[in-house]
């Protein structure tokens, strides 16, 4: 998230999840998220609201200080802008259009590539100067192959499963006995489920697609698609879509429900986990008293280097070795070796031993860990675990008493394993906690970090002031790398 009020001493920006207090202002992507800058010494920066879905202000320019007084004219201007960026049709109108389109003769079915919309006969004249193509029945069943993938890496980049990954996921879920699949940002999985149902060669399954890309609304009925933002758990069609989700999550006639989510890799883990937890809570409320305290079965598809953050939010999750690959991503492909293989994995609360990974692709079962692992992920008898995260064979360091990446070497000066050309002397964890100064933990694990926040934003404090006391924290914007560039550099270092 880039802000113009940059500050050299800022360590990062932390998202503050909604606690049921005052509602957040809205941008075209729904309710915004509340952020807070974090500095050294526990210094808390001024809080602000920004878009939940876009990391770059060029994609969504919404910005508002938490304590800022907004004029009525500005509120009305925002509402007008939000309305102008709504889809051209409602979900109900899209459904009517699709029924009319499906009844057309084959030679009259056209798709406007420029507007990314199915054309009815009366609309062809208005789109006569646009590029249009004929549409077959097979293409209507695979809208992800017809729609142009969104490619903005800082907001809504769409990477679509290969047939290999789609078939594996669906075969696995079917083998586990699930009859209803909640597809959160996984249009390819939704398509495959519907195609298999048409073949009538497998047990029928039901699916519901939740996606921020409203273009999919023109291909599905109201009980098959909901326009949804997974970063703020916002349904753009309000209570009508919420009711559809609740009806889908109700396990009638013993039809077990599972959620499969494939968020944008640049998204913040904390808001995503909050949305998935809210869906799980909705599912729990609809269950019988015997299952009301259990968690909804989930599969979260994300790069392996986010494992610590995901496990912090969902301690019951396990990261599986299966490598997910994508059709339209230049790097995330199956079959490559070393650091070139896909870093995307499955995180799930389903028992790992029950998720059978294909032996023909190089996976095997570890009888000690009781789960399927990649062929190069050798079991370490000293750590008593199959340690590899990135697909390479890791090695055990007897000094560190843990397994490390094969490219790392033990450094006597730093007393830890690191890359051979690492900056020696910067001991890992030397800086400790910037909140309280302890060397035993980091800021995120600080037991007193919330007390800073409470005292900093205590009830009854004067809110009408202009925060003169901490305005000096924010300096003029200097030349610095964007948030995306810093994250890319960090991810590259983690994969080494």
């Amino acid at each position: 998230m880039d802000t113009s009020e940059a500050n050299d001493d800022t360590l990062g920006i932390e998202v503050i999840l909604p606690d049921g207090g005052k509602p957040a202002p809205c941008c075209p992507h729904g309710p915004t998220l509340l952020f807070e800058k974090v500095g050294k010494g526990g210094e808390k920066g001024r809080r602000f609201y920004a878009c939940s879905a876009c990391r770059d202000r060029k994609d969504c320019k919404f910005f508002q200080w938490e304590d800022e007084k907004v004029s009525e004219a500005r509120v009305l201007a925002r509402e007008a802008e939000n309305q102008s960026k709504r889809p051209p049709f409602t979900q109900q109108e899209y459904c009517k259009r699709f029924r009319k389109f499906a009844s057309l003769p084959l030679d009259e079915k056209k798709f406007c590539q420029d507007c990314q919309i199915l054309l009815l006969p009366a609309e062809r004249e208005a789109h006569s100067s646009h590029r249009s193509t004929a549409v077959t029945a097979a293409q209507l069943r695979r809208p992800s192959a017809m729609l142009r993938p969104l490619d903005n890496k800082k907001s809504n980049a769409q990477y679509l499963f290969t047939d290999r990954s789609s078939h594996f996921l669906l075969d696995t879920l079917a083998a586990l006995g699930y009859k209803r699949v909640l597809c959160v940002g996984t249009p390819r999985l939704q398509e495959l489920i519907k195609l298999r149902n048409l073949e009538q060669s497998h047990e029928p399954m039901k699916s519901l697609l939740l996606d921020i890309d409203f273009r999919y609304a023109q291909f599905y009925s109201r009980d098959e698609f909901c326009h949804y933002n997974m970063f703020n758990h916002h349904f753009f069609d309000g209570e009508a879509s919420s009711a559809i989700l609740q009806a889908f999550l109700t396990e009638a006639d013993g039809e077990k429900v599972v959620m499969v989510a494939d968020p944008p890799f640049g998204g913040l883990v904390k808001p995503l986990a909050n949305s998935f937890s809210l869906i799980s809570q909705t599912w729990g409320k609809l269950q019988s008293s015997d299952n009301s305290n259990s968690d909804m079965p989930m599969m979260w598809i994300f790069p392996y280097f986010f494992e610590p953050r995901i496990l912090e939010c969902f301690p019951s999750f396990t990261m599986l070795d299966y490598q997910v690959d994508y059709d339209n991503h230049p790097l995330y492909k199956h079959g490559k070796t070393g650091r070139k293989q896909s870093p995307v994995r499955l995180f799930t609360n389903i028992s790992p031993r029950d998720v059978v990974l294909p032996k023909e692709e190089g996976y095997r079962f570890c009888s000690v860990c009781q789960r399927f692992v990649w062929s190069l992920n050798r079991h370490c008898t000293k750590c008593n675990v199959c340690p590899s995260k990135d697909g390479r064979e890791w090695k055990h360091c007897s000094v560190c008493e843990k397994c490390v990446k094969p490219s790392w070497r033990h450094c006597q000066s730093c007393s830890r394993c690191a890359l051979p050309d690492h900056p020696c002397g910067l001991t890992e964890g030397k800086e400790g906690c910037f909140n309280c100064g302890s060397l035993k933990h980091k800021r995120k694990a600080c037991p007193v970090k919330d007390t800073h926040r409470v005292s900093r934003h205590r009830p009854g404090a004067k809110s009408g002031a202009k925060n003169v006391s901490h305005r000096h924290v924010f300096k003029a914007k200097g030349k610095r790398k964007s948030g995306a560039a810093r994250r890319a550099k960090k991810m590259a270092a983690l994969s080494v």
Side-chain angles (χ1 to χ4, degrees), residues 105-170:
L106 184 60
D107 59 346
E108 292 188 22
K109 292 180 178 178
K110 303 292 182 182
F111 176 75
C112 180
Q113 292 181 323
D114 294 337
C115 301
Q116 295 285 284
I117 191 170
L118 298 173
L119 295 177
L120 296 178
E123 301 166 343
R124 290 178 200 160
E125 182 64 29
H127 295 260
S128 59
S129 61
H130 298 178
R131 295 171 299 167
S132 62
T133 57
V135 180
T136 64
Q139 288 175 314
L140 278 179
R141 300 187 189 110
R142 296 294 301 267
S144 68
M146 188 160 49
L147 296 172
R148 184 170 55 247
L150 303 176
D151 56 4
N152 191 326
K153 296 181 180 179
K154 291 187 178 182
S155 57
N156 51 13
Q158 290 177 321
Y159 297 122
L160 303 167
F161 294 149
T162 58
D163 286 343
R164 164 193 165 269
S165 292
S166 298
H167 281 279
F168 165 76
L169 288 169
L170 188 51

Side-chain angles (χ1 to χ4, degrees), residues 372 472 479:
F372 286 82
H472 67 276
K479 291 184 178 179

Side-chain angles (χ1 to χ4, degrees), residues 323 336-342 374 376 390-392 495:
Q323 298 174 15
K336 295 185 178 181
T337 58
R339 290 169 55 193
K340 293 183 179 180
Q341 52 196 320
S342 173
W374 179 241
L376 294 180
D390 60 6
R392 294 179 290 173
S495 62

Side-chain angles (χ1 to χ4, degrees), residues 58-69:
K58 294 178 182 178
D59 301 315
C60 183
K61 63 182 180 181
F62 188 98
F63 182 90
Q64 178 185 316
W65 295 114
E66 182 189 27
D67 54 3
E68 181 180 356
K69 292 183 178 180

